[in-house]
Amino acid sequence: MNIFFKLIILVFLNGILAMLSQIVLFREILSQVYANELVLGFMLFAWLISGAFAGTYIYERFIKNLSFKKIFYLIIFLPLLSIIVVIILILFIRVIKAFLGMPAEVLINIWDAVIITLIVFFPVNFILTINFSFLMEFLKKNSLNEHASLFYLFESLGAIFIGIIYTFFLAGNTPNLILIYWIGVINLGIIYIIFYDKRQENNKIQLILTLILIIYLLPLITNFINRIDKKSLDFNFAKQTILFNKELRTAKITITKKNNIYNIYSNGIIQYSKPDEKNKELSGWAVSAGEKIKKILIINGGYTGLIEEFLKFNSIDKIYYIENDNEEAKILKKFFIDDIKSGKEKVEFYYGDAIYFLKNNKINERFDVIALNIGFEGTLFSARYFSKEFLEILKDYLNEKGILFFSLNAGENYIDKKILLKLSSIYKTVKLVFKEIFLIHGDSLYFICGEKKIYITPEKVLNKLEKEKVKIPIFNKRYLEKILDKKRQDNINKLLKESNARINTIFSPVVCFYGVLSDLFYFKNNFNILKITGILFFLSGLFFFIIKPEELKNNFKLYLNMFLISFIGINFQMILIFLFQSIWGYIYQMIGLLFAIFMAGIVVGCFFVYISKKDPVVTFIFILIINLIFLLIIKDINSILILLSLFSAGFFIGSSYAIIVVKTNASFLYGVDLLGGATGAFLISIFFVPVLGIKTTMIFCILFLFILLFLRRKENAQ
């Protein structure tokens, strides 16, 4: 095998390592550290900024002048180093909360999430970019520089390949740590085979590779790798008895037991507890608020006590139960189905996303009560269930006198400013859909919504419970009089009405971001100021090393074009992924495929320019503008449209890079390209989407595209 084909294999492996590292580390951070999907922007920011630094400053200063022999050794051993670093970082992510003295269920501050993401993603892409630069330099030293464009193609193909394979075959089936370890075994094996040489002068490298392979296989032979994987997953739950702890395709699910209480965690957040006195209150309020309760729909939490509580009411004839996560539902059924002692024949079980089921008329019924049991509204996935669009779907499933019932976390006597906007947004959204809202402000804030006048008094509640022969200890006369006091009702209604919160929709899931904003701009916390200062100081240093004023001055307009193209392209990519999550909620499962489609667009864009020698950038600016406008005005977005739009965004960046690279310094353009993407990823996660919302961010992208169109036309005219 000649050297060119050996290098092609290595660059293909580099693409696999890069994509797989992104996917695995993203899923680890989302499930262990910071459950909000904004972490994707932090990840891309850290990944791209490290690539810009390594590909420009480090390459120019240290790589270009290395000897042939040193480069040869480095391209063999750097991939293994990157794998070892990824394994160490996976372990770091899994123990960081315990190291900081934080309980497993506590959310990390957004600025801590930014710092942790930088620590995790920066070194990995730094090593992989250095490795790619070494491969490019090795190509030059073998007088094969005319094939450089094929390197970009094959690295991207490696990334696309593993993105698709992971999404459809590996996610949820192979633990992340074990998967990365096996990729190391495969990588070492391939390197050993392609560089195997019987000549005497190459015996040294064969011996080194053999020793490394033997040492690397020891954790597998001794089963140490499986033990460390399990122990690291369990580390944050050391003070609890762990009954189940596994990463599924859709989420990381953990079930623990302590003091006879079961806790069910989804991506590090407590989703349910059992027994939970709150279930008694939920069922009590729901049944008391209605007139004749015969049919009930429960969305989430049925297995963990809500079904049992509703079955205590003899008037209920039928319960329909949807658990949103199909894989999690099977686990919950295994642990808790036997707790439903009687009345199981009254229950129909459905597994899968409630929005999909109800939107597509999978349940052809009308209900007296719909109990929406969704916790933690601080993610795009959960915010969907409080969107105007979904509330309208639920309304269509209610009888004429039917009610929608749900509860949100709130202080009993005081509502913190951090959650006021979130509560107010949901209140105003519900008010748009339903004529009546009855609020009950206890330990939680209970929403009872319907089209008819809702009337609840202590006497009505107590009479209902007595008639049904159901006892709820907390529902005594004194408590009910306090909680249903009219003045208390008026105060909470006034508080929620008067805030400046916006309506929560699929396109503008503000509920998800109000909690983030309170941490984002909470500058009274001195530690936050120190963190922000440190991040800005770090970024300023990187910009200083990456930017070369003399080179920038020579081709300022072209570099500005590339910066804006990457800035807009990454913003568009992020908007599309956030939209995908807001509508369908499968980002944890599908992130590999979404990345792969974007990369495919880049590859096709580069290849199109390489073959046709044409400049399609202006045409694609118009296509993206039309695409964004279409996404803004269309009401029912198809998943195919999202995927095609992702491909278009990739094509836009890839074709632009291929056009501009022949007119500029390739190394510096690469840095500017990544710098534009990093800036876009950072701003969309820290400012654009949390503060402005998805729709407004799309409008800004359209404005930037018009600016870019003006610059490109001016450039072409010259």
Side-chain angles (χ1 to χ4, degrees):
M1 187 186 295
N2 66 41
I3 192 64
F4 176 70
F5 288 110
K6 290 180 180 180
L7 293 175
I8 285 292
I9 292 170
L10 289 178
V11 85
F12 185 81
L13 286 173
N14 202 69
I16 288 175
L17 283 175
M19 177 64 83
L20 191 60
S21 299
Q22 286 184 64
I23 296 169
V24 164
L25 292 173
F26 169 71
R27 284 169 64 103
E28 287 287 332
I29 283 185
L30 197 66
S31 65
Q32 304 276 357
V33 175
Y34 193 69
N36 192 296
E37 297 89 346
L38 286 176
V39 75
L40 176 65
F42 308 154
M43 179 202 87
L44 287 175
F45 160 67
W47 191 268
L48 295 170
I49 200 76
S50 68
F53 178 62
T56 54
Y57 180 76
I58 299 298
Y59 173 78
E60 293 288 338
R61 290 289 299 271
F62 303 107
I63 296 175
K64 289 178 74 172
N65 300 320
L66 284 176
S67 66
F68 182 90
K69 190 174 182 180
K70 285 182 179 178
I71 292 176
F72 177 70
Y73 277 106
L74 285 167
I75 62 174
I76 291 176
F77 297 116
L78 274 178
L80 179 61
L81 175 62
S82 70
I83 289 166
I84 292 170
V85 168
V86 172
I87 290 173
I88 292 169
L89 289 170
I90 289 173
L91 297 175
F92 165 77
I93 292 167
R94 291 178 179 180
V95 304
I96 185 63
K97 278 190 177 179
F99 178 75
L100 294 173
M102 298 174 66
E105 67 274 10
V106 173
L107 286 177
I108 280 180
N109 177 284
I110 189 171
W111 291 110
D112 291 330
V114 174
I115 293 167
I116 290 169
T117 308
L118 271 171
I119 292 170
V120 168
F121 286 95
F122 192 93
V124 179
N125 196 39
F126 181 86
I127 295 169
L128 291 171
T129 303
I130 291 293
N131 187 52
F132 184 78
S133 299
F134 279 139
L135 289 165
M136 291 292 288
E137 194 62 26
F138 199 72
L139 194 74
K140 289 180 184 178
K141 292 184 185 296
N142 281 279
S143 302
L144 297 167
N145 200 37
E146 69 273 13
H147 300 297
S149 59
L150 289 176
F151 266 37
Y152 290 101
L153 174 64
F154 275 92
E155 188 190 40
S156 299
L157 287 175
I160 295 165
F161 169 77
I162 198 63
I164 294 170
I165 294 296
Y166 184 90
T167 300
F168 293 108
F169 302 105
L170 299 174
N173 295 318
T174 308
N176 288 333
L177 191 68
I178 305 301
L179 176 60
I180 290 293
Y181 176 83
W182 272 105
I183 289 293
V185 173
I186 294 167
N187 193 79
L188 270 172
I190 290 173
I191 288 174
Y192 186 89
I193 292 168
I194 65 175
F195 286 106
Y196 181 77
D197 197 329
K198 294 182 180 180
R199 286 178 294 183
Q200 186 73 27
E201 61 269 22
N202 288 325
N203 280 348
K204 185 179 178 181
I205 193 167
Q206 301 292 157
L207 180 62
I208 293 171
L209 280 171
T210 303
L211 287 172
I212 289 174
L213 187 58
I214 291 169
I215 293 168
Y216 191 80
L217 286 172
L218 283 176
L220 181 67
I221 296 166
T222 60
N223 203 37
F224 176 77
I225 192 69
N226 288 305
R227 293 201 306 271
I228 197 70
D229 180 53
K230 186 179 185 307
K231 284 186 177 181
S232 62
L233 277 172
D234 296 347
F235 196 78
N236 284 328
F237 306 95
K239 296 181 180 179
Q240 304 179 56
T241 303
I242 299 166
L243 305 176
F244 181 88
N245 195 9
K246 186 181 177 183
E247 183 175 350
L248 308 177
R249 285 168 62 85
T250 50
K252 179 179 174 287
I253 302 300
T254 306
I255 301 177
T256 67
K257 188 177 182 182
K258 185 179 181 182
N259 300 327
N260 291 320
I261 295 175
Y262 294 90
N263 288 315
I264 295 90
Y265 296 83
S266 177
N267 283 343
I269 299 168
I270 287 187
Q271 189 177 18
Y272 312 116
S273 292
K274 186 177 183 180
D276 188 350
E277 290 300 311
K278 186 180 175 183
N279 286 327
K280 295 181 185 295
E281 284 197 68
L282 287 169
S283 61
W285 289 124
V287 174
S288 300
E291 296 301 322
K292 294 180 180 179
I293 309 298
K294 298 291 185 182
K295 290 182 182 178
I296 288 180
L297 172 64
I298 298 173
I299 299 175
N300 272 22
Y303 279 129
T304 51
L306 205 49
I307 289 175
E308 295 164 61
E309 294 301 328
F310 274 118
L311 285 173
K312 291 177 181 178
F313 294 86
N314 295 322
S315 61
I316 295 174
D317 293 333
K318 195 74 177 176
I319 295 175
Y320 293 78
Y321 166 44
I322 303 173
E323 186 64 44
N324 277 324
D325 188 325
N326 183 43
E327 293 191 331
E328 182 184 1
K330 293 173 184 176
I331 305 301
L332 294 175
K333 180 181 179 181
K334 178 182 176 182
F335 277 91
F336 303 117
I337 187 66
D338 292 337
D339 292 346
I340 305 173
K341 302 296 183 184
S342 61
K344 201 181 298 182
E345 68 282 355
K346 291 183 178 182
V347 186
E348 284 196 21
F349 298 88
Y350 295 88
Y351 302 150
D353 184 48
I355 296 177
Y356 172 82
F357 266 93
L358 299 177
K359 187 178 179 181
N360 292 281
N361 297 307
K362 295 290 183 181
I363 301 177
N364 189 25
E365 293 286 350
R366 292 294 178 268
F367 301 99
D368 302 304
V369 172
I370 295 178
L372 180 62
N373 191 20
I374 304 291
F376 188 65
E377 312 78 29
T379 65
L380 283 168
F381 179 81
S382 298
R384 312 154 61 226
Y385 297 103
F386 299 96
S387 66
K388 177 176 173 285
E389 293 85 349
F390 184 56
L391 292 173
E392 287 171 343
I393 291 172
L394 293 180
K395 180 181 175 181
D396 289 338
Y397 276 87
L398 288 171
N399 288 327
E400 185 182 352
K401 293 183 178 180
I403 59 168
L404 168 67
F405 181 84
F406 61 89
S407 68
L408 302 170
N409 291 327
E412 183 174 354
N413 298 309
Y414 171 76
I415 294 180
D416 194 296
K417 288 182 179 179
K418 287 187 176 183
I419 61 171
L420 176 59
L421 284 173
K422 179 174 68 175
L423 296 174
S424 179
S425 173
I426 293 173
Y427 174 85
K428 291 180 178 181
T429 306
V430 171
K431 198 71 176 172
L432 271 183
V433 179
F434 292 93
K435 289 181 181 178
E436 296 291 329
I437 302 177
F438 191 92
L439 297 177
I440 302 171
H441 186 194
D443 289 337
S444 298
L445 184 60
Y446 297 95
F447 285 69
I448 302 172
C449 323
E451 289 299 289
K452 301 294 183 180
K453 187 71 177 175
I454 298 168
Y455 176 70
I456 305 176
T457 64
E459 292 75 20
K460 182 183 178 183
V461 174
L462 292 172
N463 289 337
K464 189 83 172 182
L465 293 177
E466 186 179 357
K467 185 180 178 181
E468 293 280 356
K469 297 179 181 179
V470 173
K471 292 183 179 180
I472 300 176
I474 197 173
F475 279 20
N476 56 69
K477 188 174 181 180
R478 185 178 176 183
Y479 173 77
L480 292 173
E481 285 176 348
K482 174 190 171 185
I483 219 76
L484 295 173
D485 179 67
K486 189 176 186 307
K487 187 177 179 182
R488 187 184 182 95
Q489 300 273 320
D490 293 340
N491 287 340
I492 187 65
N493 274 283
K494 183 181 178 183
L495 189 65
L496 298 183
K497 281 178 184 176
E498 291 180 352
S499 86
N500 59 353
R502 302 198 302 258
I503 302 300
N504 186 61
T505 67
I506 289 291
F507 270 99
S508 185
V510 292
V511 166
C512 169
F513 303 123
Y514 279 140
V516 173
L517 287 173
S518 62
D519 283 337
L520 200 58
F521 301 113
Y522 187 59
F523 297 129
K524 290 181 181 179
N525 184 329
N526 290 330
F527 285 109
N528 270 2
I529 296 172
L530 285 174
K531 292 167 193 172
I532 296 165
T533 305
I535 291 169
L536 292 176
F537 183 78
F538 176 72
L539 294 180
S540 300
L542 289 179
F543 271 73
F544 175 79
F545 286 116
I546 294 168
I547 298 299
K548 302 172 187 173
E550 66 283 356
E551 178 62 35
L552 195 63
K553 189 177 179 181
N554 292 337
N555 285 296
F556 177 75
K557 289 181 181 178
L558 286 173
Y559 290 128
L560 178 62
N561 269 251
M562 193 68 245
F563 182 90
L564 283 174
I565 286 165
S566 292
F567 178 87
I568 296 165
I570 290 296
N571 267 275
F572 193 28
Q573 179 196 17
M574 294 284 292
I575 286 168
L576 291 167
I577 292 175
F578 287 156
L579 267 180
F580 184 90
Q581 177 70 346
S582 188
I583 298 169
W584 294 285
Y586 299 127
I587 187 176
Y588 193 84
Q589 179 180 346
M590 302 297 288
I591 191 64
L593 180 65
L594 298 176
F595 279 169
I597 289 171
F598 181 74
M599 289 297 298
I602 291 176
V603 169
V604 174
C606 285
F607 198 66
F608 175 83
V609 172
Y610 180 77
I611 298 296
S612 68
K613 309 299 181 186
K614 293 180 180 179
D615 183 350
V617 177
V618 171
T619 303
F620 254 80
I621 290 174
F622 279 115
I623 290 172
L624 290 185
I625 289 171
I626 294 167
N627 198 333
L628 280 163
I629 292 171
F630 190 64
L631 287 170
L632 278 169
I633 61 175
I634 193 172
K635 288 186 177 180
D636 193 11
I637 298 175
N638 189 286
S639 58
I640 301 298
L641 177 61
I642 296 283
L643 300 181
L644 287 173
S645 299
L646 269 173
F647 182 86
S648 300
F651 189 99
F652 174 59
I653 293 176
S655 59
S656 302
Y657 185 88
I659 289 293
I660 298 173
V661 72
V662 296
K663 305 173 185 177
T664 57
N665 180 311
S667 173
F668 185 65
L669 182 71
Y670 179 71
V672 170
D673 175 27
L674 296 183
L675 201 59
T679 306
F682 185 75
L683 288 179
I684 199 170
S685 301
I686 293 295
F687 177 72
F688 287 149
V689 169
V691 177
L692 304 177
I694 292 177
K695 264 194 173 181
T696 308
T697 304
M698 290 166 76
I699 292 169
F700 268 93
C701 279
I702 292 171
L703 293 175
F704 280 124
L705 282 166
F706 274 115
I707 293 169
L708 185 61
L709 182 64
F710 172 76
L711 291 173
R712 290 299 296 164
R713 283 188 172 278
K714 197 172 180 181
E715 184 69 32
N716 291 339
Q718 293 174 353

